[in-house]
Amino acid sequence: MFESLLHHYNYWMFIGLMMIGFYAMMAKKNLIKKIIGMNIFQSAIILFFISTSVKGGGVTVPILEHPEGAQGGFVDVMKYANPLPHVLMLTAIVVMVATLGVALAVVMMIYKRYHTLEEDEIALIRRKQGLKC
Amino acid sequence: MIPTFNFILILFLFVCAIAAITIRDLLSAVLVLGAYSFFMCLLWAQMTAVDVAFTEASVSAGIGTVLFIGAVSRTERRSKD
């Protein structure tokens, strides 16, 4: 029981980091803190996908050792880690930075207008102006 | 079982993640987040995903931290929570 829980330790660390990020996104009032939480959340998910590509002992990086002499055109896949999650997650990292840039730009526009980054203070200002919040 | 080096990296990851969301000074929180990204990159290099590791080191720990520092220096540094 305990052994099987420990075997899938990547699930536990993924869930722990994801919940830390989710807590920051939901419970923190500061907008920059929310973005930090989003960053932690996204990299936790990428960590989960990368950890599924890990195989047992004696596995190296997915680069072919002898490309010309791969025995009769066959490649021993058990010698290399699975490269498919790596390729997918490379795209996800770039998307992560793009969302980060857009989120920071929106936060700077909000600061220009309300001169604060706290969510409750922004709601108070909007209520005083008679707007919905 | 968990290799010892991976275990230390995971411990540092959790410490950095919790510190990044609890520190009230936003500039310090952002720098701790950069350290978090770099530990994540080391963990991926340990998991033989070197291409993802160096993309993370250059893009998320590099440009992400620079963007964060720019945004924090143009807005305010104090946070209430």
Side-chain angles (χ1 to χ4, degrees):
Chain A
M1 177 66 190
F2 187 66
E3 197 71 8
S4 76
L5 283 182
L6 217 54
H7 249 96
H8 295 288
Y9 73 94
N10 55 340
Y11 292 173
W12 299 108
M13 63 195 195
F14 150 69
I15 289 173
L17 286 174
M18 198 174 95
M19 284 303 124
I20 290 172
F22 196 60
Y23 166 75
M25 278 168 79
M26 288 295 146
K28 295 285 175 185
K29 291 255 175 8
N30 191 284
L31 293 176
I32 298 273
K33 278 285 170 72
K34 279 177 189 282
I35 298 176
I36 289 176
M38 189 179 75
N39 218 326
I40 293 174
F41 189 91
Q42 286 170 329
S43 48
I45 291 171
I46 295 174
L47 172 65
F48 171 66
F49 271 87
I50 291 297
S51 70
T52 56
S53 75
V54 176
K55 290 176 187 170
V59 178
T60 57
V61 293
I63 297 170
L64 212 53
E65 272 179 33
H66 307 290
E68 70 281 349
Q71 308 99 355
F74 290 110
V75 177
D76 187 10
V77 288
M78 286 316 288
K79 270 163 61 181
Y80 307 102
N82 189 1
L84 181 65
H86 300 181
V87 179
L88 292 175
M89 288 309 116
L90 272 182
T91 330
I93 288 176
V94 177
V95 172
M96 186 167 104
V97 173
T99 46
L100 173 69
V102 173
L104 287 175
V106 170
V107 161
M108 279 163 67
M109 293 297 286
I110 289 172
Y111 186 78
K112 221 181 195 176
R113 191 163 192 174
Y114 297 104
H115 299 288
T116 177
L117 284 181
E118 306 291 331
E119 210 181 35
D120 43 352
E121 290 175 11
I122 293 171
L124 203 69
I125 292 170
R126 282 182 70 84
R127 212 171 289 138
K128 270 183 195 159
Q129 290 170 346
L131 295 165
K132 267 195 213 164
C133 53
Chain B
M1 292 303 273
I2 310 177
T4 318
F5 187 60
N6 278 14
F7 183 72
I8 295 170
L9 284 178
I10 292 163
L11 205 68
F12 275 143
L13 265 183
F14 273 90
V15 170
C16 284
I18 291 171
I21 68 168
T22 47
I23 293 176
R24 290 183 180 215
D25 186 10
L26 282 180
L27 196 63
S28 315
V30 163
L31 289 177
V32 171
L33 187 74
Y36 167 86
S37 296
F38 197 71
F39 282 123
M40 194 68 109
C41 144
L42 284 181
L43 185 61
W44 289 341
Q46 187 69 15
M47 286 175 170
T48 69
V50 277
D51 45 351
V52 187
F54 73 68
T55 311
E56 168 85 4
S58 65
V59 170
S60 193
I63 298 178
T65 311
V66 170
L67 287 179
F68 260 123
I69 289 174
V72 168
S73 64
R74 275 164 184 266
T75 59
E76 62 185 7
R77 204 175 148 174
R78 297 279 151 210
S79 133
K80 278 201 299 189
D81 49 359

